[in-house]
Structure formats: C-alpha cells, structure tokens
Amino acid sequence: MKIAALQMNSQPDLQHNLDQAAALVADAAAQGAELIGLPENFAWLSEERLMAENVRAVGDAVRTALPAWAQKHGVYLLAGGYPLPAGGSSGKVFNRAELFAPDGGLVAAYNKMHLFDVIVSEEEKYLESAYVQAGEAEPVTARIEMRPGNTSLEKKHPSEKEKPAGLTLGLSVCYDLRFPELYRALVQRGADLLCVPAAFTKKTGAAHWHLLLRARAVENTAYVMAPAQAGLHGKKRETYGHAMIVNPWGEIIAEVTDGKPGVAIAEISPEFQADTRRRLPCLKHRRIS
C-alpha cells in the first residue's frame, strides 16, 4: 500500500491554500497513493489568530473540498488539522483532523488534545490554548482497507489470510508528538500507522522533529506518516518542513527535504511490520501498562 505525506506552505489565503493542496493531492494520487495526509493548518496558516468569520469560511471550504477530492481520486484523505467552532461562549475552536474515505464519507475525527503553549524563545512565544479548546483525552483510531491485490500477506504469513487487508490509523496532531503515552495507547488499540500532521516551528523542528518521529516509530514498531508545513507563513511564522514517512525499524523511507511544497510517498508493508514485531517483540515485553 502506498501512502503519501504532503508538505505545504500555507498562507493566510484560503483559496491559495486549497489550490496548492488540490494539486499536491492529485500528484500523490497519480503516483498511486491510497492514503494521503495533509499537514496541520493546511487551509489557513499565519501568525495571527483566525477571526470567527474566517473560521466559518475555512470549515465550510474544507468540508466541501476534501470529500470531493477523496471521491475524485478514490483515496483516503487525512485533513491534518483545521479550525472548527468548539461551541459555547468561549469563541474557541477545535483543531480537528478528519479522515475521509474514497466515497467521500467521514471515517473519523480527532480534536487535538495537547495544546502548544510554549516559549520557543523570548521573541517566539505561542499560546494555542488562548483560542483552541483541547479535545477529549481519548485516543482515536480508524480502519482503512487496501485496494485488492495490494497486499502480500498470503506469501509470508498464511495465518493472516482470513484477515481483511487494511491498516488501522492512529490520529494525532503536531504537539501531540511529544507525549509518547498517546501513541502507546493508539497502538494498544490496534494502530499500525501513526499519523502526525504538523506545523512544527523551524527551531523546534530542527532540534527534535526527526528524533521524535523516529522514536515514536521504534518504540511502537509502527509506521509513522508526518505531513508538514514548511517555510514562511505570512511575515513572521516559520515552520521546519521535512514531511516524511518512517518505518517500524525507525528508518526514514520518504522525506521532502528541500523546504518546498512536495510529496513524500512510500510503499508500506504489513508483512515487514509483522516481521519486525516478531523479531523485536518489545510490545509484548512491557511490565508497566
């Protein structure tokens, strides 16, 4: 099964972002990807907080475009994170990731639970909780099916013949990456592929992005798909990029390295993951649950 992690340079310009995303999705689908992930804030990204009217416009546009793209290309499409009103009197939004099926239907939704309240430097500070409402502390997984003929489980694992060919996704967003207990909980719920759409800052990304993604893959013997934002967004906000896919051995098997919009695409193998977990059964050796 081929999966693709997209790298974008989103701006405070909804139509620009949708056009960029549509082109990248089409490119990934043309290369044979069955699951395509968009990064966090793919529909709108700037240093300024979105106003209420912009939130509604972004949400309406995403809910129209993403199902249509999924249907057009016959793919699963992960909307990595976009704002939706949280309700109530606070005026806050959820930072929501949604997975759409090839028929355009909504498969699963996850509201980012860990919020980025961080002092990167004295000049670069973030307080995501000022305008985003944290989601419930409940891991979200979703099952997707592979296209017929795209799995070779029968060749190496006869005992698996009766299982439907597919993957279980574990959903997360950006800053969640720093909380390993979330990913262990996702794997305990059956996740084979950990999804980490992100807009990592340039400074924190340079220090920790590769390290954390590879660690989450190794400690859970799981695939990791990490769509990313890259470059300047508006006048001040800058992100690290390096959208990538990591295998259960911790190897980076696809990466966008040039800081421009692009596609990281790779074939993932259930049998490689099963063999890795058989040879290195650390998930079975745990002493603390």
Side-chain angles (χ1 to χ4, degrees):
M1 181 184 197
K2 279 188 177 181
I3 67 171
L6 303 186
Q7 181 159 297
M8 292 184 63
N9 174 245
S10 298
Q11 298 294 326
D13 183 333
L14 177 58
Q15 192 57 55
H16 166 86
N17 300 333
L18 292 178
D19 290 345
Q20 182 183 148
L24 290 169
V25 168
D27 184 4
Q31 294 184 58
E34 298 176 51
L35 168 66
I36 301 171
L38 292 156
E40 182 186 29
N41 300 325
F42 69 93
W44 187 284
L45 183 55
S46 74
E47 64 271 22
E48 303 297 334
R49 174 180 172 178
L50 270 171
M51 296 297 100
E53 58 271 20
N54 299 117
V55 169
R56 289 191 292 270
V58 168
D60 290 345
V62 169
R63 284 292 182 90
T64 299
L66 273 289
W69 297 346
Q71 283 185 297
K72 178 180 179 180
H73 299 293
V75 298
Y76 287 95
L77 196 54
L78 178 64
Y82 72 99
L84 281 177
S89 59
S90 68
K92 292 185 178 182
V93 300
F94 288 123
N95 187 343
R96 178 170 295 177
E98 293 183 334
L99 178 66
F100 296 93
D103 64 2
L106 181 63
V107 178
Y110 164 74
N111 295 323
K112 183 179 181 182
M113 69 171 72
H114 300 102
L115 302 184
F116 193 55
D117 292 356
V118 172
I119 302 171
V120 176
S121 68
E122 288 307 312
E123 295 75 33
E124 188 178 7
K125 303 176 184 180
Y126 298 90
L127 189 63
E128 190 176 19
S129 65
Y131 57 94
V132 175
Q133 181 170 314
E136 295 295 326
E138 182 62 35
V140 175
T141 60
R143 183 77 176 173
I144 66 172
E145 304 304 323
M146 293 182 184
R147 292 171 187 157
N150 279 13
T151 180
S152 55
L153 280 174
E154 294 183 335
K155 296 179 182 178
K156 294 186 179 181
H157 299 280
S159 63
E160 298 288 331
K161 287 183 181 179
E162 302 304 316
K163 292 185 179 181
L167 289 171
T168 299
L169 276 56
L171 302 187
S172 67
V173 175
C174 200
Y175 188 52
D176 286 333
L177 181 59
R178 294 182 181 274
F179 300 87
E181 64 273 15
L182 169 60
Y183 298 92
R184 181 52 51 85
L186 289 167
V187 168
Q188 287 178 311
R189 286 161 173 77
D192 310 296
L193 172 63
L194 304 172
C195 301
V196 194
F200 250 60
T201 73
K202 185 175 182 179
K203 184 172 184 177
T204 59
H208 302 143
W209 177 243
H210 290 77
L211 173 67
L212 289 170
L213 290 170
R214 295 183 67 197
R216 297 297 87 86
V218 169
E219 67 199 9
N220 293 296
T221 49
Y223 281 96
V224 174
M225 178 179 76
Q229 292 282 358
L232 277 172
H233 314 277
K235 296 180 180 180
K236 296 180 181 179
R237 188 163 180 179
E238 190 170 11
T239 54
Y240 179 65
H242 292 269
M244 71 177 69
I245 299 167
V246 186
N247 73 14
W249 195 249
E251 299 168 319
I252 299 170
I253 56 176
E255 182 178 5
V256 182
T257 59
D258 62 6
K260 300 177 182 178
V263 178
I265 188 166
E267 188 88 30
I268 65 171
S269 167
E271 54 268 30
F272 175 80
Q273 182 173 36
D275 190 55
T276 301
R277 288 180 171 179
R278 178 185 62 80
R279 291 185 292 111
L280 187 62
C282 57
L283 295 173
K284 294 181 179 179
H285 292 162
R286 292 182 301 114
R287 299 292 298 278
I288 300 174
S289 298

